[in-house]
């Protein structure tokens, strides 16, 4: 073990990300119908790295080391398994050739790895797959999450995750889905569903229901990482991808400021803006500028612009709510959804007062679909509290508490109920 | 100062890449500490396969040739004053978290 090797620490999530790259590369070799074989080969390569490095130290170029091992494991399989007859003959020609000069080695060039990963993104987000399967499969294949980690991240059971992934693998066979990046019009349509999955993945991690779980934050980081991969690839870079990336970065900038030292949720107006990550804000604004081209405005453009207004306001009181309200007007036009309208109502209340906010809530189309949504009741409670109606406020906050099991949310709502009591003492 | 050998047996191999990395980091930290103290001399991992010869012309078995927990996965050569000190150094080995063991053996000096 050389000195250099002994002090070499791996970057965070190195194994996870290598797993994602290797699964994508090996799927190029063995095909989607052999996904389980692919996972076995990758697992074997990771284990070999672990067993060797933990005793011998990390080599100078750990990624290259791992690729070499993966290539050899793949060659073993090509040599020994009857899988060979369904393989592209190009790969069997790698047998006996020196590393570097064979077709298999070419797959480990960085642009080929990126290409394989892009194919995997488009495959995991294939519209034939149910939404739940898309997210679980993305985490498994592209992000290197284990089944228990996916279950913890998505707040579900391991059995459920296995079911979702099995369903996706069956679809690959039944629909004869190809491992490729679509082209032309098909690419445009599919890119939309890729954006949706990455957006959901990010939201899943950002939603504050389990803010203590580090793994939820990993979801956000993964969504950003995959979105960057999309943006950096000529096939998938477009203004909408840039807008989605901007949106994620701007939200992620507030991660550290969302909780106090005891793990309590801090609302936007309570957050110490000094703890907002300026580097992420700058990057977010950069991609927002990148997104300002073409003739199409997407929901991601509007949501990113709203996030940007919050990010650049010197304080909660200095927020440009009029501009934000206009953006919400456009957003609810472009992409009507009760959740967007609820957020719009918050902007209305900031511009025109709490009673205008309540009126905006009452006008939400499909309001009944939000009846079990704790944020609807928490928002109404806050409007009533600001309007000085303690009893109504308390009723709404209590209803909100019934709708959430999250301990952090419960604590926040208790704090709000306490505010109501203080309000009553005043009157 | 005498030389001692650590033989690592068994232990758990995680299936999650993230936990693999966490396990490796623990080993790296442990080795780094031994190196900083000037105790570490060398080490190698062993592959999980091999052959066992019971006699020159008798059965040669392809590995794994023992129970998983009996397989030696690797060794270290370390420096220590006494066997007790060497055993003490082995106490921080991350292998115990996965139910593995460390055998500590003094290296025989040929010319005493």
């Amino acid at each position: 073990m050389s000195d250099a090797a002994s002090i070499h620490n791996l970057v965070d999530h190195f194994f996870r990300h290598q797993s994602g790259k290797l699964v994508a590369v090996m799927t190029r070799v063995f095909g989607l119908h052999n996904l389980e074989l692919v996972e076995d080969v990758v697992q074997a390569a990771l284990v070999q790295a672990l067993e060797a490095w933990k005793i011998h130290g990390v080599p100078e170029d750990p990624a290259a080391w791992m690729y070499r091992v993966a290539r050899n494991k793949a060659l073993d399989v090509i040599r020994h398994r009857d899988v060979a007859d369904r393989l592209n003959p190009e790969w069997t020609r790698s047998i006996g050739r020196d590393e570097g000069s064979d077709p298999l080695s070419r797959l480990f060039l960085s642009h080929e790895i990126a290409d394989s990963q892009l194919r995997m993104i488009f495959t995991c987000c294939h519209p034939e797959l149910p939404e739940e399967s898309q997210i679980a499969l993305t985490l498994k294949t592209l992000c290197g999450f284990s089944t228990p980690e996916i279950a913890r991240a998505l707040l579900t059971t391991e059995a459920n995750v296995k079911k979702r992934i099995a369903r996706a693998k069956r679809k690959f066979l039944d629909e004869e889905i190809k491992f490729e990046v679509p082209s032309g019009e098909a690419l445009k349509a599919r890119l939309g569903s890729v954006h949706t999955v990455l957006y959901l993945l990010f939201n899943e991690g950002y939603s504050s229901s389990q803010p203590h779980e580090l793994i939820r934050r990993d979801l956000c980081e993964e969504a950003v990482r995959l979105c960057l991969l999309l943006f950096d690839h000529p096939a998938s870079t477009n203004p909408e991808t840039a807008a989605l990336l901007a949106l994620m970065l701007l939200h992620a900038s507030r991660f550290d400021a969302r909780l106090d030292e005891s793990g309590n949720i801090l609302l936007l107006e309570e957050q110490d803006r000094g703890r907002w990550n300026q580097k992420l804000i700058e990057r977010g604004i950069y991609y927002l500028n990148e997104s300002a081209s073409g003739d199409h405005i997407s929901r991601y453009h509007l949501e990113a612009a709203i996030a940007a207004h919050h990010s650049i306001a010197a304080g909660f009181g200095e927020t440009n709510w009029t501009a934000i309200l206009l953006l919400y007007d456009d957003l609810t036009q472009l992409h009507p959804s009760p959740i967007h309208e609820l957020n719009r109502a918050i902007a209305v209340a900031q511009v025109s007062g709490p009673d205008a906010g309540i009126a905006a809530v009452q006008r939400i189309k499909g309001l009944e679909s939000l009846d079990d949504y704790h944020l609807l009741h928490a928002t109404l409670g806050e409007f009533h509290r600001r309007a000085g109606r303690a009893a109504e406020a308390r009723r709404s906050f209590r209803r909100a508490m019934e709708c959430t099991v999250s301990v952090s949310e419960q604590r926040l709502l208790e704090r709000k109920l306490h505010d109501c009591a203080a309000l009553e003492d005043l009157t | 100062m005498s030389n001692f050998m650590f033989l690592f047996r068994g232990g758990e191999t995680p299936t999650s890449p993230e936990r693999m990395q966490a396990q490796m980091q623990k080993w790296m930290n442990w080795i780094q500490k031994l190196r900083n103290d000037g105790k570490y001399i060398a080490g190698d991992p062993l592959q999980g396969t091999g052959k066992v010869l019971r006699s020159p012309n008798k059965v040669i078995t392809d590995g794994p040739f023992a129970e998983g927990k009996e397989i030696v996965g690797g060794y270290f050569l370390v420096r220590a004053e006494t066997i007790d000190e060497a055993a003490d150094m082995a106490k921080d080995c991350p292998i115990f978290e996965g139910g593995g063991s460390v055998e500590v053996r003094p290296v025989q000096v040929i010319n005493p």
Side-chain angles (χ1 to χ4, degrees), chain A residues 159-170:
Chain A
N160 230 327
V161 172
K162 280 187 190 143
K163 232 180 285 166
R164 291 177 191 180
I165 289 172
R167 217 176 289 149
K169 285 180 179 168
R170 230 176 8 254

Side-chain angles (χ1 to χ4, degrees), chain A residues 1 3 6 8-11 13-16 19 43 46-47 50-56 58 144 146 149, chain B residues 8 13-21 23-25 27-28 31-32 35 40 43-45 73-76:
Chain A
M1 180 166 63
D3 270 357
S6 71
H8 189 129
N9 282 327
L10 291 174
V11 292
H13 310 308
F14 177 84
F15 272 69
R16 228 183 221 175
S19 163
Q43 184 73 10
L46 295 179
V47 167
L50 167 68
E51 298 302 336
W53 299 355
K54 73 184 187 190
I55 295 206
H56 223 271
V58 179
S146 68
E149 284 162 356
Chain B
F8 304 113
T13 306
T15 52
S16 141
E18 192 75 350
R19 289 185 52 206
M20 285 186 190
Q21 186 162 347
Q23 186 186 82
M24 205 189 66
Q25 197 58 54
W27 278 81
M28 298 295 290
I31 298 170
Q32 194 55 46
R35 290 179 66 93
Y40 180 90
D44 275 310
Y75 73 89
F76 275 6

Side-chain angles (χ1 to χ4, degrees), chain A residues 1 22 24 72 74 122 124 128 151 202 228 239 256 266 279 284 294 305 317 352 391 425:
Chain A
M1 180 166 63
L22 289 176
N72 292 339
F122 277 90
C124 288
E128 287 284 346
F202 184 88
L228 256 173
D256 291 332
L266 294 173
K279 231 172 99 187
S352 312
D425 290 344

